[in-house]
Amino acid sequence: MIDYTVVTADGAEDRRGGGDRLRADAGAEGAFAWVEFAADDADALPEALAALGMDRFGTYPATAVHPRPKVEIVDDAALLLVKTVWYIEATRQVETGDLAIFTDGRSLVTLRRGVVDPVPHVRERLRDAKFRSGGLAAVVHALFDAVVEHYDDAVEDLTDDVADLERDVFSGQRIDRNQEIYFLIRETLEFQNAVRPLITFAHSVRQGRSGAPLFDRSGFGEVAGHLIRVDASVETCMSLLTTVLTAHQGQIGTWQNEDTKKISAWAAIAIAPTIISGIYGMNFTVMPELHWTVGYPLALAAMAIVCFLLFRGFKRNGWLLRIDVRESQW
């Protein structure tokens, strides 16, 4: 048995029946049928698609994990598979789900997987007579538009986190943030993979060459333009993260050079008294300094003077000072 909704100009009515009844209700004049499935309860999906004549896309894997976004158009039927996206700010993670839309212009089958679910909001709008007057095209448009609207929210949160990470990298703190940058690049790439495959379709919709009359109707062009802008925003985040990663790796190289200079400078300062004390510790009998009253204090003074001169020279050259990044940038 299949649960579905029959939508007419007078309202929307939930019904339940087999494939024959679904086909009859979907073919009624002035009405269309909407069959809605969740991924964990899609046993009747093949039967519904066969009853409505939309099984020409082959066996759709209702339990498949992360199918690639795509648009398939066969004769008068279309399959629009889009990724739903939501962003978890606490962990800086991009999570994705799926929304598959099967339609032939007279009936509609949807399959959803993931946290983001635009279906309840669209079903609520079916109470509005003006919305129902738009027919099946209005429902498909509303579903597609709701998914893209969620993209907007997610890309805004992602952009904020990229900006925060950029500020942290250039804050002057000597903290290795390579792992944070790589992680955010991976999440941005997941977002990009959810949006980028549909960009060619979006351009064709804006130009009125989608290949399906349903998508060439007014309203779909605006959603397609919105999708293109989201893709550009995600690309900007990816470019900025790549630049920040390159700059941060340069910072780490600079820090390592500074540490090497400090170690070398202190080693040079330490080796001077070591050489002097080594020579005077040989205890040769023919050494005039052994009989000098001022020999011992003179050796100590020589060590101190040499160490002071080396310290002063290295300090002038910046080998013993940590550079304040913010002050140097100013």
Side-chain angles (χ1 to χ4, degrees), residues 219-275:
F220 281 96
E222 296 179 3
V223 179
H226 193 175
L227 181 63
I228 293 171
R229 291 193 297 273
V230 169
D231 178 68
S233 298
V234 176
E235 177 64 28
T236 299
C237 289
M238 180 64 77
S239 299
L240 184 56
L241 283 170
T242 304
T243 303
V244 169
L245 176 62
T246 302
H248 187 52
Q249 289 176 338
Q251 280 183 333
I252 293 176
T254 301
W255 297 341
Q256 292 173 342
N257 289 336
E258 289 178 3
D259 293 339
T260 302
K261 288 179 180 179
K262 290 178 184 178
I263 294 171
S264 301
W266 285 114
I269 292 173
I271 201 172
T274 302
I275 294 174

Side-chain angles (χ1 to χ4, degrees), residues 81-116:
L81 176 59
V82 296
K83 306 291 285 186
T84 56
V85 175
W86 65 98
Y87 189 74
I88 305 175
E89 292 187 66
T91 57
R92 290 181 173 177
Q93 283 183 288
V94 172
E95 298 292 340
T96 59
D98 311 297
L99 177 65
I101 300 174
F102 301 83
T103 182
D104 59 358
R106 299 178 300 276
S107 53
L108 174 67
V109 178
T110 60
L111 174 65
R112 177 194 60 82
R113 179 193 295 107
V115 173
V116 176

Side-chain angles (χ1 to χ4, degrees), residues 181-235:
I181 300 173
Y182 275 119
F183 182 79
L184 205 52
I185 286 177
R186 185 186 66 185
E187 298 304 305
T188 305
L189 182 61
E190 184 175 356
F191 200 157
Q192 196 172 55
N193 289 338
V195 177
R196 183 60 57 85
L198 295 176
I199 295 304
T200 301
F201 169 71
H203 282 294
S204 65
V205 168
R206 295 192 71 185
Q207 297 168 4
R209 298 185 293 103
S210 65
L214 174 69
F215 298 123
D216 290 334
R217 297 186 182 183
S218 61
F220 281 96
E222 296 179 3
V223 179
H226 193 175
L227 181 63
I228 293 171
R229 291 193 297 273
V230 169
D231 178 68
S233 298
V234 176
E235 177 64 28

